[in-house]
Amino acid sequence: MPPLLGRSRRRAGQLADPALDDVELVEVRTQLAQGRWGRVSSLLTATADDWDRRGHRLVVLAEGAGSAAWAEDWLLAEPQSADAAALLACATVLRALRGKGGRGGETAAREACRVAARMAPSDPTPWLGLLILARSLGTEEEVSRLFDEVRSRHPEHHHAHHLMAARLAERHPEAGQDPLHEVYDFAAWAAEQAPADSPLAVLPVVAHAERYRVLAAAGSEPGDPERSGHWTGRRARQVMKAAFDWWLEWEREDHPRNRIDLNFLAHAKFCEGRPAEAAALFHRIGEHVTEAPWAYPNRDPYQAFSAARGTALGSV
């Protein structure tokens, strides 16, 4: 199973901080770890209804070991704070997924998300929390319903689309290299529905990598993606070209999860056998190396990234 949140098991100087290039988020996370949630409140107020950034910031803040407890304190001090409720919701979800919420952890997480959703009906983030939970523990019907709830509030929600692609890719592994698999249809539909400058243009590449993860785990694709033909078929090449052309024209450096997309795109271009194009992406990634997709299917992500980067940069 891939990382649920697009986060990394960080090693110093290697995999990216889950905050990616959000310097403000890194500073505020340190404050929260010390129990000072006032800066968190200011950060989230400034984030306003930039829903992708709000979701990214809340999920990263929620990852801290003490985040749920500090969010509870904040909510006690400010019972009407939708920001405190959203942080508590996300932190309770992650605690439940880590198995640290006790026997009632999942139930508590669902209730915390519902409370947060009632306090801020237009905010997709509590529904994102429920989707993260359902990604691992829910039924197909529940995952689809929660994705619709997120999308009804923010049709281009980046994190939600990545979660949905990962879940859909896991359906019918026995179908093998089926170019009509539903994950490809979903990703193509999402990219077509989104505005021209939307980073969802890269979602078909994400879907392709997620499907490779599933097929490699099932044994129908080599464990080394460079030896796989998964990225060299006609359809795959069309997908990679469209996403790379989008990046050349629109590169969304302002998007909070931009580095995640760049890692998927660099991985795809390298596996496709286009090292010069991959090299341009490696330059943009810099130190922000994400676990997905370099770990697929069961590899050391930093070693895989470093080897690919060295080969790509040596080719230009």
Side-chain angles (χ1 to χ4, degrees):
M1 181 176 290
L4 299 178
L5 311 175
R7 68 172 184 236
S8 302
R9 294 187 297 270
R10 193 183 185 202
R11 301 172 218 166
Q14 296 187 353
L15 296 181
D17 186 311
L20 301 175
D21 57 350
D22 192 330
V23 176
E24 288 182 280
L25 177 58
V26 172
E27 294 174 353
V28 170
R29 181 181 57 190
T30 300
Q31 299 277 324
L32 180 62
Q34 298 168 353
R36 290 180 282 176
W37 42 259
R39 286 286 306 280
V40 179
S41 178
S42 299
L43 180 72
L44 295 177
T45 297
T47 307
D49 60 355
D50 181 347
W51 299 127
D52 278 342
R53 193 172 305 277
R54 179 176 172 81
H56 172 65
R57 286 176 163 176
L58 277 165
V59 169
V60 171
L61 289 169
E63 289 182 338
S67 293
W70 294 126
E72 287 174 343
D73 287 351
W74 180 9
L75 198 56
L76 283 173
E78 299 181 13
Q80 304 306 313
S81 173
D83 291 341
L87 177 59
L88 179 59
C90 292
T92 308
V93 164
L94 299 188
R95 186 170 61 182
L97 289 174
R98 290 192 294 262
K100 295 183 178 180
R103 295 181 63 182
E106 183 180 348
T107 300
R110 292 180 190 279
E111 179 57 26
C113 288
R114 292 190 186 102
V115 168
R118 287 194 295 269
M119 293 178 70
S122 64
D123 184 3
T125 311
W127 298 99
L128 174 67
L130 286 168
L131 181 60
I132 290 169
L133 190 67
R135 164 72 182 87
S136 291
L137 304 176
T139 64
E140 298 290 341
E141 181 181 1
E142 183 182 14
V143 169
S144 295
R145 178 179 61 80
L146 292 171
F147 174 73
D148 287 343
E149 291 284 2
V150 174
R151 195 172 184 279
S152 69
R153 291 163 174 81
H154 180 40
E156 302 168 56
H157 202 290
H158 191 273
H159 195 163
H161 279 83
H162 276 235
L163 290 168
M164 195 67 178
R167 179 67 180 246
L168 288 174
E170 293 166 2
R171 292 182 179 176
H172 308 297
E174 74 285 352
Q177 282 284 9
D178 179 4
L180 301 179
H181 190 276
E182 59 197 296
V183 73
Y184 301 139
D185 288 342
F186 165 76
W189 166 81
E192 289 167 3
Q193 293 290 313
D197 66 342
S198 171
L200 290 185
V202 183
L203 192 67
V205 174
V206 175
H208 213 73
E210 295 293 358
R211 186 61 179 168
Y212 166 74
R213 168 181 58 84
V214 174
L215 296 179
S220 58
E221 284 290 330
D224 181 352
E226 293 176 55
R227 295 192 296 107
S228 169
H230 189 66
W231 282 270
T232 58
R234 180 173 176 272
R235 183 194 173 283
R237 287 186 180 277
Q238 289 176 337
V239 164
M240 306 315 155
K241 182 180 186 305
F244 188 75
D245 288 349
W246 175 89
W247 176 71
L248 288 175
E249 182 174 1
W250 293 101
E251 185 183 4
R252 287 290 305 275
E253 281 286 320
D254 62 315
H255 193 275
R257 288 165 52 90
N258 164 270
R259 293 302 191 278
I260 294 172
D261 285 334
L262 290 184
N263 274 269
F264 272 98
L265 191 51
H267 177 266
K269 279 297 178 182
F270 183 77
C271 292
E272 186 190 1
R274 302 186 72 91
E277 292 176 354
L281 294 154
F282 284 123
H283 280 301
R284 301 302 288 169
I285 289 168
E287 298 179 354
H288 300 288
V289 184
T290 57
E291 185 170 359
W294 301 103
Y296 295 170
N298 187 27
R299 305 197 302 164
D300 181 287
Y302 189 74
Q303 287 183 8
F305 173 87
S306 296
R309 180 177 59 185
T311 300
L313 296 182
S315 71
V316 294

